[in-house]
């Protein structure tokens, strides 16, 4: 190992992994808590159509906004690599590029929102009372698009620097305000779906202002990049290529969940509502695993930037250990507590019965998705974006094949089987590439 590598060397320990993963796990847990709260607020109304409309509206918003997750992912990877090189100047430049991109995209979405809403309703097949609830939720929540995308850039930056506690604080602000206002506006004032949407909009906006105050306040003026550096053609081309690949990957991922919701719509309002309840369990598992994925992103990116292979290998080993251990615990929890959670989330006897029948499929998604989430973290941190894109497309093809075969045979059971297979495909296909890509990256750095 040469002196350059030794100069930026750092130790990867269980404490380092958990110092990133635990705060972000706690922060991300507030997001499924938000989903649980929103579902419970509308579910307590005892109206399957309103609950189904909320599910479709949330999925439609996630389809659009989630497609811009590249703002968070690319910012994390590039910031982590600049952090590994101890280049504070470039860290600031990465942040400003990401923030400007986020605000421009958010304003564009706001202008296009009427067209997006109309297209979304047609895509999801939402009509009647379900369509009305979907339209109400979406038209209000889209008002926070610039703030929501700015939050992607802010979170990506603090994660790239390994500042898990700041990430936790920002997630707590966003989702805490959201939960409180959703309960107050949705239940206390009786606004229903509209109250839930207004609560979400307020939380996103407050989080963006808090994040900007924290991040900008920590910047040293001496390291401030010039506008010419922020808009460097070389850096922008690099960012565009990275964002393009992650955009394709993210759009396919959100599309897979959208297809699941769309197929679920064909099974009727009760089954769709049951799937909406169970998707909160899936999201809870995913946000637990995201904490470990974030640790993998930061450690991997930092190791690539520092050109220090031992940190990369050690980080991979420890995050795998913690990811599968946590996934097993979460899955066991849902098997045991799932029936009670279902009864809390909805008062409809039909929805409760349907959700209980499909509960095992949702409970195991933590285990089937553990490797997928971890590999996403590794590839984001290393900025191996083309591989992420290509393997996601391959996994999606396998997912569609599973749906084509098993949905006609087993109905909604086949739909859940296909989703679990999709998670397994993603993790396995990416894991096959880790060693050769790492060998190539660290060889080139020598």
């Amino acid at each position: 190992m040469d002196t350059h590598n030794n100069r930026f060397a750092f130790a990867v320990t269980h404490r380092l992994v958990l110092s990133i993963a635990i705060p972000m796990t706690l922060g991300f847990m507030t997001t499924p808590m938000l989903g649980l709260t929103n579902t419970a607020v509308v579910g307590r109304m005892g109206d399957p159509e309103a609950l189904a409309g909320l599910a479709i509206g949330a999925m439609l918003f996630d389809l659009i906004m989630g497609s811009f997750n590249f703002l968070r992912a690319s910012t994390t990877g590039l910031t982590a690599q600049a952090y590994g090189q101890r280049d504070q100047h470039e860290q600031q430049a990465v942040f400003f590029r990401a923030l400007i991109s986020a605000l421009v995209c958010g304003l564009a979405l706001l202008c296009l929102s009427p067209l997006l809403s109309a297209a979304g309703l047609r895509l999801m097949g939402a009509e009647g009372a379900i369509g009305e609830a979907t339209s109400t939720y979406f038209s209000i929540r889209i008002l926070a698009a610039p703030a929501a995308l700015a939050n992607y850039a802010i979170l990506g930056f603090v994660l790239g620097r390994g500042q898990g506690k700041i990430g936790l604080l920002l997630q707590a602000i966003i989702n805490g305000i959201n939960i409180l206002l959703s309960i107050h506006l949705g239940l206390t004032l009786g606004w229903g779906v509209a109250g839930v949407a207004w609560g979400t909009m307020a939380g996103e906006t407050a989080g963006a202002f808090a994040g900007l105050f924290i991040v900008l306040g920590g910047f040293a003026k001496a390291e401030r990049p010039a506008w010419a550096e922020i808009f460097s053609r070389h850096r922008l081309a690099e960012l565009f290529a990275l964002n393009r690949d992650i955009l394709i990957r993210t759009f396919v991922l959100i599309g897979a969940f959208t297809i699941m919701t769309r197929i679920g719509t064909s099974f009727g309002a009760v089954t769709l509502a049951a799937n909406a309840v169970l998707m909160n369990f899936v999201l809870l598992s995913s946000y637990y695993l995201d904490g470990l994925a974030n640790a993998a992103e930061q450690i991997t990116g930092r190791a690539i930037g520092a050109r220090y292979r031992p940190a990369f290998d050690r980080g991979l080993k420890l995050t795998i250990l913690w990811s599968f251990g946590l996934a097993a615990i979460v899955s066991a929890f849902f098997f045991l507590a799932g029936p009670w959670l279902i009864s809390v989330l909805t008062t409809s006897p039909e929805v409760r019965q349907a959700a209980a029948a499909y509960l095992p499929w949702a409970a195991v998604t933590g285990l089937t998705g553990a490797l997928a989430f971890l590999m996403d973290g590794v590839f984001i941190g290393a900025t191996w974006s083309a591989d992420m894109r290509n393997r996601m497309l391959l996994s999606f093809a396998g997912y569609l094949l599973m749906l084509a075969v098993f949905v006609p045979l087993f109905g909604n059971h086949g739909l859940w089987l296909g989703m679990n297979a999709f998670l397994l495909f993603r993790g396995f296909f990416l894991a096959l590439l880790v060693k050769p890509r790492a060998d190539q990256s660290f060889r080139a750095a020598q």
Side-chain angles (χ1 to χ4, degrees):
M1 194 68 62
D2 63 29
T3 56
H4 180 79
N5 291 344
N6 290 333
R7 185 159 62 93
F8 295 122
F10 64 99
V12 178
T13 63
H14 289 283
R15 176 175 293 184
L16 176 62
V17 171
L18 296 179
S19 70
I20 302 169
I22 290 178
M24 291 316 304
T25 294
L26 294 174
F28 289 138
M29 278 177 61
T30 63
T31 298
M33 285 172 61
L34 166 63
L36 292 170
T37 301
N38 290 348
T39 301
V41 167
V42 179
R44 300 300 292 183
M45 298 168 60
D47 184 356
E49 284 77 15
L51 185 57
L54 173 66
I56 294 176
M59 180 61 71
L60 177 58
F61 190 85
D62 288 343
L63 171 64
I64 296 171
M65 300 298 292
S67 299
F68 290 87
N69 190 54
F70 61 82
L71 292 167
R72 204 283 304 165
S74 63
T75 304
T76 298
L78 293 173
T79 301
Q81 292 185 19
Y83 184 76
Q85 296 170 351
R86 302 179 188 176
D87 187 345
Q88 296 183 12
H89 190 80
E90 179 59 20
Q91 289 175 51
Q92 289 196 34
V94 168
F95 174 75
F96 284 118
R97 290 185 201 111
L99 180 63
I100 292 169
S101 299
L103 294 176
V104 170
C105 291
L107 291 173
L109 285 178
L110 203 54
C111 294
L112 295 172
S113 60
L115 295 177
L116 294 172
S117 179
L121 289 174
R122 178 172 297 182
L123 172 67
M124 304 303 291
E127 299 177 346
I130 295 177
E132 183 178 350
T134 300
S135 180
T136 297
Y137 179 85
F138 181 82
S139 62
I140 296 171
R141 189 172 175 185
I142 196 67
L143 296 175
L149 294 184
N151 284 326
Y152 285 1
I154 294 167
L155 182 60
F157 179 77
V158 299
L159 289 179
R161 290 173 53 85
Q163 297 172 318
K165 291 182 180 179
I166 295 179
L168 169 59
L169 174 62
L170 295 178
Q171 291 298 296
I173 291 173
I174 294 169
N175 295 324
I177 291 175
N178 194 335
I179 289 171
L180 292 175
L181 286 181
S182 293
I183 294 173
H184 178 67
L185 298 177
L187 283 180
T188 305
L189 299 185
W191 292 6
V193 172
V196 168
W198 281 115
T200 303
M201 195 275 289
E204 292 282 6
T205 303
F209 279 110
L212 287 173
F213 177 80
I214 292 171
V215 172
L216 295 178
F219 283 165
K221 292 184 178 180
E223 299 292 341
R224 187 69 51 85
W227 287 108
E229 294 175 282
I230 294 173
F231 293 104
S232 163
R233 180 176 299 180
H234 169 70
R235 293 294 190 181
L236 288 176
E238 177 185 52
L239 180 62
F240 175 79
L242 181 60
N243 285 342
R244 177 201 62 210
D245 293 335
I246 299 177
L247 171 62
I248 294 171
R249 170 259 178 196
T250 303
F251 189 78
V252 173
L253 177 60
I254 298 298
F257 284 95
T258 303
I259 288 173
M260 183 175 181
T261 301
R262 183 65 181 88
I263 294 176
T265 304
S266 67
F267 297 139
V270 171
T271 299
L272 180 60
N275 285 349
V277 170
L278 294 176
M279 282 305 298
N280 286 291
F281 300 172
V282 176
L283 289 174
L284 183 58
S285 297
S286 71
Y287 286 120
Y288 270 107
L289 295 172
D290 260 337
L292 272 303
N294 289 150
E297 289 176 26
Q298 203 278 335
I299 294 169
T300 297
R302 184 179 175 186
I304 293 287
R307 300 180 175 92
Y308 189 57
R309 178 67 180 267
F312 179 94
D313 293 337
R314 176 69 171 168
L316 182 62
K317 178 181 178 180
L318 294 187
T319 51
I320 287 175
L321 175 66
W322 283 103
S323 291
F324 277 96
L326 182 60
I329 293 173
V330 172
S331 293
F333 170 77
F334 284 132
F335 272 110
L336 295 173
W340 174 77
L341 289 173
I342 291 170
S343 67
V344 170
L345 291 175
T346 177
T347 59
S348 170
E350 296 88 352
V351 175
R352 286 180 175 179
Q353 183 178 4
Y358 305 117
L359 173 61
W361 293 112
V364 300
T365 54
L367 285 170
T368 57
L371 187 61
F373 280 88
L374 181 62
M375 288 297 103
D376 281 350
V378 171
F379 279 70
I380 286 171
T383 61
W384 298 331
S385 59
D387 292 320
M388 287 184 66
R389 177 199 65 204
N390 294 339
R391 293 305 167 107
M392 177 61 79
L393 290 171
L394 181 60
S395 300
F396 186 68
Y399 172 60
L400 294 180
L401 179 61
M402 294 289 289
L403 294 181
V405 173
F406 291 106
V407 170
L409 292 175
F410 304 114
N412 201 50
H413 284 289
L415 185 60
W416 279 99
L417 172 61
M419 177 53 63
N420 278 277
F422 177 58
L423 295 172
L424 288 171
F425 292 155
R426 287 172 51 205
F428 177 74
F429 291 151
L430 285 175
L432 292 176
L433 286 178
V434 171
K435 188 178 185 305
R437 289 295 178 267
D439 291 343
Q440 182 180 23
S441 293
F442 288 101
R443 234 186 353 254
Q446 292 178 352

